[in-house]
């Protein structure tokens, strides 16, 4: 219940609570900053208390503003559950907006879309390839409906309020070298040039720790968030790196994979808002993703699918 307050304006306040600036809210919702400011000022009149206060050149929520923003989150969740109930008997579920990390977009999305085209031919799927951190935030902020994310051993991702988490599966991580490289173990890669993801990412921290545990500091000469660029550089013999197996699904660039000590895996999971997790579209997408993951795993379990050293 919104006490007569505009639900649309409550949404803007909730967005401000999550995104931090009026400019960011305006960009996310395709409004002008002045329109957002005017709508929030109108909400203050409706509520009858100060919701915002100046903080330098920005504004921040007052204590009352924080309280109303939390109320807004509950109102928006309730409305989403109502829409979900109304959608149960709809032969064509509401569109599903998906955020996927690069490896899953490459290995899972095509197969998932094939299956949904058969099981739910009218279901509209929209997908963006973005980092898990951004995807999780945007699901909470209603920019996406479902995120495919990852977490590496010892680096559990933050559990954002109002989101569920469903494990999709485990994906082995191995040392990748060029096909003609003499390297046969992680320890033998101590003197090799390395390529890793940018500093500050969980996978970069994890990768460096693996090298240190093997007794050396990696010579990271190249940094790329694009894992396909990493594969190309490794394949050409210019670097080595730690890559998830799923990335290499159907890749034409030859690399040789070497098992790591302890055979580490990353965990893939999906997250959706608890208020919409039972919607027909999200249920259908998750079911198709589980099947697609199983299909991809079966390919990698084929001993002829990708050369690697156990």
């Amino acid at each position: 219940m919104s006490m007569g307050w505009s639900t649309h304006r409550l949404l803007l306040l909730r967005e401000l609570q999550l995104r931090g600036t009026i400019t960011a809210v305006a960009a996310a919702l395709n409004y002008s900053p002045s329109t957002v400011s005017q709508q929030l000022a109108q909400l203050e009149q409706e509520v009858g208390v100060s919701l915002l206060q100046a903080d330098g050149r920005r504004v921040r929520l007052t204590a009352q503003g924080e309280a109303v923003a939390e109320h807004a989150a509950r109102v928006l969740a309730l409305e989403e559950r109502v829409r979900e109930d109304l959608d149960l008997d709809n032969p064509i579920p509401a569109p599903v907006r998906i955020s996927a990390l690069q490896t899953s977009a490459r290995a899972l999305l095509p197969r998932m879309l094939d299956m949904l085209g058969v099981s739910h031919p009218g279901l509209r799927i929209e997908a963006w390839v973005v980092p898990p951190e951004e995807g999780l935030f945007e699901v909470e902020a209603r920019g996406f409906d479902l995120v495919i994310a990852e977490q590496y051993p010892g680096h559990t991702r933050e559990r954002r309020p109002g989101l569920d988490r469903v494990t999709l599966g485990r994906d082995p991580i191995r040392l990748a070298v060029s096909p003609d490289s003499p390297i046969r173990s992680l320890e033998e890669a101590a003197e090799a040039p390395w390529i890793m993801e940018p500093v500050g990412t969980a996978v970069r921290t994890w990768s460096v720790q693996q090298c240190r545990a093997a007794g050396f500091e990696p010579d990271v000469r190249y940094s790329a968030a694009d894992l396909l660029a990493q594969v190309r550089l490794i394949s050409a013999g210019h670097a080595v790196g730690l890559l998830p197996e799923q990335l290499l699904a159907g890749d034409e660039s030859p690399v040789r994979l070497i098992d790591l000590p302890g055979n580490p895996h990353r965990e893939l999971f999906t997250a959706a808002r608890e208020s919409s997790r039972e919607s027909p579209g999200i249920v259908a997408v998750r079911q198709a993703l589980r099947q697609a993951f199983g299909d991809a795993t079966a390919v990698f379990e084929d001993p002829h699918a990708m050369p690697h050293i156990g």
Side-chain angles (χ1 to χ4, degrees), residues 240-307:
V240 302
L242 301 182
L243 296 178
E245 194 172 70
Q246 192 180 86
L247 172 69
L248 302 170
D251 195 281
E252 69 279 6
S253 295
V255 297
R256 184 161 48 81
L257 299 177
I258 301 170
D259 289 343
L260 296 174
N263 297 315
H265 294 69
R266 64 173 183 162
E267 178 186 309
L268 294 171
F269 65 91
T270 62
R273 290 181 296 281
E274 292 175 350
S275 56
S276 64
R277 61 174 297 174
E278 299 300 329
S279 68
I282 290 178
V283 171
V285 166
R286 277 180 156 163
Q287 183 177 2
L289 278 173
R290 285 193 297 271
Q291 183 61 51
F293 186 89
D295 292 348
T297 300
V299 169
F300 283 118
E301 288 177 349
D302 180 347
H304 304 293
M306 181 64 61

Side-chain angles (χ1 to χ4, degrees), residues 10 21 25 34 97 113 140 144-145 165 169 193 204 208 240 249 251 257 268 293 300 304:
L10 287 173
T21 68
V25 173
S34 61
R97 300 162 298 170
L113 291 171
E140 182 184 3
F144 298 127
D145 301 307
R165 181 173 296 193
R204 171 67 172 260
V208 170
V240 302
D251 195 281
L257 299 177
L268 294 171
F293 186 89
F300 283 118
H304 304 293

